[in-house]
Amino acid sequence: MRNMRGAFIARPRRVACVGLLMGSALGACAGSAPKTAAPVNGIPPNVTLVATPIAPVESAAPVQSATPAPEPPASSEASAEPTTPLEPLPTPAPAPAPATPSATVARVLMADELPFFPVRLRAHDADRRRANHEATRESRDSEAKSSRHRPYHPAPGIIVDVTDAQGGIAAADLQRIARNADYWPFRECYEAALRADQRLSGKVSLELVVTPSGSVDRATVAASTLRDEIVGACVAREARHLALPATSAQTVAKVDVSLATGDEAVTTARPFANAESLRQALRTSWDGARQCYATGLATRPDAGGRLELRFRVHHDGEIFEVSEVGDHDVRFTDVDVARCVLGVYRTARLPPLARASRERSFVYALHFESKAAEAVAP
């Protein structure tokens, strides 16, 4: 081929490069040119670029619009400028709850005794221990009559007075029936407190609501002169178990239960060795025992009373066994609560027993009662 024909073929190549000007083949096209100096920026000769003027972004005036501009799509690259975090939206106020009647919350009352050696302290057993005084009772009664004092009475005194009754049962009839009923539950409430305070005495005023069927629907403490709040709650709980005759209408009655000490002190058990420090260690599990009782009240509101726990303990403080003490088949009123409390104390840890080199046993008595607190709005 001659130079003239080569020059004739080279011109279409320049034209073809115009179509590929904006593509990636620009550099390749320029590289295939003859051995002439490449133009600046790799643009082939005889090609004119036309630029359309575009206003700079900085000079554009901001457009006010009622509709916020859409946010740019998220980029995988981090922004060069730090972004300011948005302030949290205000939390809307909760909607007011619908009005509901106020609920009555039961307050849990607990008491305990010093750990003691295993003996039976029920009131009916205490009466047997007082039998030896019958031989001298007649002589003491005669002395009391000559000195114009009341007859000798070794046991605590329980007197029930019905001061008012409105409804199906008259006050006189209700008092006669109540006095003929078994007063042992009231006495056990009282004697349990006398073991801690031998001078405790006073009066508990109750308000009873008796259904037409004769059962006590509600018994609340209206007033009490006792220093021990648990005794009043125990008397009110036992009053709910009174069985009265059926009537044609509901009865609301006011009853006073007077509690007086006897001429002899209530028998107490011999405290276990180092009993006070041992009781302080046992009290560390009160939260769990209180929770057991509070849970039981939800299904059985009349649960309560005395719960005696018998411990078998190694001399280093390890607990081997915890069981409930039952005298004459008398146990705590709620089986589930008793089992729960036993479970709490089976995992407890006690300090080493003083002056002991083997396994020892003792009894720890707890008393659970509940009292209706003031109405609390939900």
Side-chain angles (χ1 to χ4, degrees):
M1 294 177 65
R2 297 182 179 273
N3 291 338
M4 180 178 297
R5 183 173 298 179
F8 176 78
I9 296 174
R11 181 176 300 273
R13 290 187 181 179
R14 295 192 187 98
V15 176
C17 289
V18 176
L20 300 175
L21 177 61
M22 302 302 296
S24 59
L26 179 61
C29 181
S32 62
K35 297 180 181 180
T36 57
V40 182
N41 298 332
I43 300 176
N46 301 327
V47 176
T48 304
L49 297 180
V50 179
T52 303
I54 300 176
V57 177
E58 292 78 7
S59 62
V63 179
Q64 301 294 334
S65 175
T67 305
E71 297 181 1
S75 175
S76 59
E77 298 180 359
S79 177
E81 298 181 358
T83 58
T84 303
L86 298 177
E87 297 182 358
L89 297 177
T91 304
T100 55
S102 58
T104 302
V105 180
R107 184 160 55 93
V108 174
L109 305 176
M110 282 186 64
D112 65 349
E113 299 178 13
L114 286 172
F116 53 85
F117 287 95
V119 293
R120 293 189 298 180
L121 296 176
R122 296 289 182 182
H124 39 257
D125 294 328
D127 280 348
R128 295 191 183 99
R129 291 192 292 270
R130 296 189 181 104
N132 58 345
H133 296 283
E134 294 296 333
T136 59
R137 182 173 182 174
E138 295 181 359
S139 60
R140 293 186 179 183
D141 286 346
S142 60
E143 293 177 1
K145 291 180 181 179
S146 61
S147 59
R148 296 182 180 181
H149 290 295
R150 66 175 179 83
Y152 172 76
H153 193 276
I158 312 294
I159 301 177
V160 179
D161 293 318
V162 179
T163 60
D164 185 31
Q166 302 291 332
I169 306 178
D173 296 336
L174 182 59
Q175 177 169 296
R176 183 181 68 256
I177 297 171
R179 286 187 174 183
N180 292 335
D182 189 10
Y183 67 94
W184 276 108
F186 295 158
R187 179 171 167 179
E188 289 193 350
C189 292
Y190 184 37
E191 285 198 353
L194 284 175
R195 295 189 183 100
D197 185 359
Q198 295 284 351
R199 296 182 179 182
L200 181 67
S201 63
K203 181 174 62 177
V204 180
S205 298
L206 304 176
E207 183 173 321
L208 305 183
V209 177
V210 185
T211 63
S213 63
S215 62
V216 179
D217 180 65
R218 185 171 68 252
T220 57
V221 178
S224 177
T225 60
L226 291 170
R227 295 189 297 270
D228 194 330
E229 190 177 16
I230 290 184
V231 179
C234 182
V235 170
R237 177 178 54 80
E238 294 295 348
R240 300 188 193 106
H241 301 156
L242 292 175
L244 304 174
T247 59
S248 58
Q250 177 180 277
T251 303
V252 178
K254 295 181 180 179
V255 181
D256 290 341
V257 181
S258 300
L259 309 172
T261 58
D263 292 327
E264 291 187 10
V266 174
T267 304
T268 58
R270 182 165 63 94
F272 196 73
N274 202 17
E276 185 58 41
S277 62
L278 189 59
R279 176 165 69 173
Q280 295 301 323
L282 291 167
R283 283 182 173 179
T284 58
S285 300
W286 268 29
D287 288 342
R290 186 182 289 108
Q291 183 63 37
C292 291
Y293 178 60
T295 304
L297 288 176
T299 56
R300 187 172 178 180
D302 63 339
R306 181 184 175 89
L307 176 61
E308 293 184 355
L309 306 178
R310 179 167 182 157
F311 287 77
R312 288 179 53 238
V313 185
H314 193 263
H315 66 87
D316 63 355
E318 181 183 358
I319 298 176
F320 290 152
E321 182 185 4
V322 184
S323 58
E324 181 181 1
V325 179
D327 291 340
H328 301 281
D329 297 330
V330 177
R331 295 183 179 273
F332 192 73
T333 55
D334 193 301
V335 177
D336 294 332
V337 173
R339 290 176 179 173
C340 181
V341 175
L342 290 175
V344 169
Y345 277 103
R346 281 172 183 151
T347 59
R349 181 71 182 182
L350 302 178
L353 303 181
R355 301 186 297 276
S357 57
R358 55 184 177 83
E359 176 186 321
R360 302 294 298 273
S361 296
F362 65 86
V363 176
Y364 180 56
L366 290 169
H367 201 132
F368 297 93
E369 295 295 341
S370 63
K371 184 177 181 181
E374 297 181 357
V376 177

